[in-house]
Amino acid sequence: MPVKKWSVQYAFAIPITFLMLAGIQYWKGRGLAYSVEFGILWSLASVALFAVIRVYYFRKGMHCTVCNDLPEETQPKQET
């Protein structure tokens, strides 16, 4: 499993998701404390759910083009 690669990706995803969610709540007129609490809770929950699904797909051997976790199957080139 590419744990190092995933750790770096999630280290960027959690704060970005937090800022987005907390900012939206604050922009909607909620208090700062509520916005921060909401951002922390839902950013951790959403990134954790994504990580669990990603590990599941990795263990099943399902290729993800966007994630690029598994090597692409090599097809022999056909000469014409």
Side-chain angles (χ1 to χ4, degrees):
M1 249 191 292
V3 176
K4 183 178 178 183
K5 176 182 175 184
W6 291 350
S7 298
V8 171
Q9 290 175 344
Y10 297 140
F12 283 105
I14 289 174
I16 290 171
T17 307
F18 163 75
L19 289 173
M20 181 182 66
L21 294 173
I24 289 171
Q25 290 300 315
Y26 189 72
W27 184 55
K28 287 172 53 177
R30 302 286 182 144
L32 183 61
Y34 176 82
S35 300
V36 169
E37 181 183 343
F38 183 90
I40 290 171
L41 175 69
W42 285 105
S43 65
L44 291 175
S46 61
V47 171
L49 179 63
F50 181 75
V52 168
I53 292 170
R54 196 167 183 188
V55 169
Y56 173 77
Y57 285 153
F58 184 82
R59 288 190 178 171
K60 290 287 186 178
M62 298 171 74
H63 180 68
C64 175
T65 304
V66 175
C67 303
N68 197 19
D69 291 335
L70 295 176
E72 293 185 25
E73 295 178 18
T74 55
Q75 300 278 337
K77 294 184 179 180
Q78 295 180 358
E79 295 181 23
T80 56

